[in-house]
Amino acid sequence: GGAEVRRVREGNVLNEKAKGKTREGAEEKLTSGDLLSNRRMFHLLRAAFPGVQINSEEHVDATDQETVSWDRNIPEDIKEKIQSKEVPAESVTVWIDPLDATQEYTEDLRQYVTTMVCVAVNGKPVIGVIHKPFSAYTAWAMVDGGSNIKARSSYNEKTPRIIVSRSHAGKVEQVARQTFGNKTVIIPAGGAGYKVLALLDVPEKNQEEADVYIHVTYIKKWDICAGNAVLRALGGHMTTLAGEEISYTGSDGNEGGLIASINMNHKALIEKLPNLEKTSHK
């Protein structure tokens, strides 16, 4: 998927169009990168695991018979780290985000773009993969099963660096500074995948660092499932702003906003941010 995203962007023929509007009235964009990445990722997973439910951000044409095969060879460096387990196929839901940060993709802000896959079992995110197509960096983690990434070692709970969507920075900044103090740093960024990576120890020069990730409005589950799985595997948390766990079954949307952290007192953060939970439903 990442290879398709990169190829389309570097060819500079995005065939950009609007696919509708978000609840906030912003135009939602669609490009050839989204569609071609989605096609590759969906068909590979469908061919490899025909009995598993796959939820994807983009529509897949039922008549599209493309075959994308996987030889089922797991790279040795991954095989050494994972502890595999079997679960019933009907308990598994796979969430695909073929191109996260499409708006930034159209603006050629490449550092924010990721492709993501998440595996949930009985609604709980278990495996997360976040890939940065333009640097070829991939983070992955499996709950109780290994990872190739870890949390950063230093965090500041009193005056945290809070990473938020570019369009939400003003909305969050006022409440956050009232809550944590005027030294709180707000980092506007694109892409849910990029924002989760900001909480972790990522060996990339253009990856910003943050202590907390906050989203104050409705968000789709394919945007957040992979990041949720990675954080869970590393001992972190991603919940609604009210502190509820997010279930990755049923509807494709999460209504209650989200707050994500790692190596911090997550419950205390939620208790400090009562005003943001109300904002998320507006």
Side-chain angles (χ1 to χ4, degrees):
E4 294 294 310
V5 167
R6 190 173 64 250
R7 184 179 64 79
V8 169
R9 181 65 265 184
E10 290 173 350
N12 207 28
V13 184
L14 274 61
N15 295 317
E16 178 187 333
K17 61 182 180 181
K19 66 175 181 180
K21 290 190 180 291
T22 66
R23 288 190 181 184
E24 300 161 78
E27 196 173 77
E28 227 176 336
K29 294 185 176 178
L30 179 68
T31 70
S32 294
D34 296 84
L35 294 173
L36 293 170
S37 172
N38 185 70
R39 189 172 181 234
R40 300 288 289 178
M41 293 165 76
F42 177 88
H43 283 292
L44 187 147
L45 284 162
R46 171 60 74 230
F49 304 103
V52 165
Q53 181 179 334
I54 302 171
N55 296 332
S56 180
E57 178 167 14
E58 307 306 340
H59 174 71
V60 178
D61 188 344
T63 62
D64 185 351
Q65 296 299 313
E66 175 173 351
T67 301
V68 186
S69 61
W70 172 43
D71 62 13
R72 294 186 177 264
N73 285 326
I74 300 172
E76 288 301 321
D77 60 325
I78 295 177
K79 198 183 287 185
E80 288 170 9
K81 293 178 180 175
I82 61 172
Q83 298 170 35
S84 59
K85 59 188 79 173
E86 289 197 2
V87 296
E90 60 271 18
S91 71
V92 175
T93 311
V94 179
W95 296 84
I96 299 176
D97 192 340
L99 200 171
D100 188 41
T102 300
Q103 175 65 44
E104 287 73 19
Y105 183 66
T106 64
E107 297 173 26
D108 211 13
L109 298 172
R110 302 183 182 197
Q111 72 271 26
Y112 296 128
V113 176
T114 61
T115 61
M116 296 187 282
V117 176
C118 177
V119 178
V121 179
N122 295 320
K124 293 186 177 180
V126 172
I127 302 172
V129 182
I130 305 174
H131 174 66
K132 297 179 86 169
F134 297 103
S135 67
Y137 173 75
T138 303
W140 65 266
M142 178 177 175
V143 175
D144 298 326
S147 71
N148 73 337
I149 190 169
K150 58 185 179 181
R152 287 189 295 108
S153 55
S154 60
Y155 293 85
N156 190 336
E157 201 155 339
K158 291 182 179 175
T159 54
R161 295 166 59 84
I162 299 176
I163 195 162
V164 298
S165 293
R166 294 160 72 206
S167 58
H168 296 166
K171 187 186 289 187
V172 175
E173 183 171 12
Q174 188 176 359
V175 176
R177 294 226 162 122
Q178 287 171 355
T179 305
F180 296 108
N182 289 329
K183 291 183 179 179
T184 302
V185 176
I186 302 295
I187 304 167
Y194 178 89
K195 295 184 191 92
V196 167
L197 291 178
L199 306 181
L200 305 172
D201 186 13
V202 175
E204 297 239 295
K205 288 179 182 176
N206 65 354
Q207 174 67 59
E208 294 163 287
E209 293 183 353
D211 302 310
V212 182
Y213 163 29
I214 291 175
H215 188 85
V216 295
T217 57
Y218 174 86
I219 191 167
K220 293 294 181 71
K221 290 177 183 176
W222 41 68
D223 289 317
I224 59 175
C225 186
N228 199 341
V230 171
L231 288 172
R232 279 188 75 225
L234 299 177
H237 301 274
M238 180 185 287
T239 64
T240 67
L241 292 166
E244 299 154 345
E245 295 297 328
I246 301 164
S247 174
Y248 294 91
T249 55
S251 73
D252 61 17
N254 171 51
E255 295 281 353
L258 72 84
I259 179 166
S261 69
I262 189 165
N263 288 350
M264 298 183 77
N265 186 333
H266 193 77
K267 189 164 182 261
L269 287 171
I270 292 162
E271 289 169 353
K272 281 183 176 179
L273 292 169
N275 297 328
L276 286 176
E277 200 276 329
K278 293 168 190 166
T279 312
S280 74
H281 297 288
K282 289 181 181 175

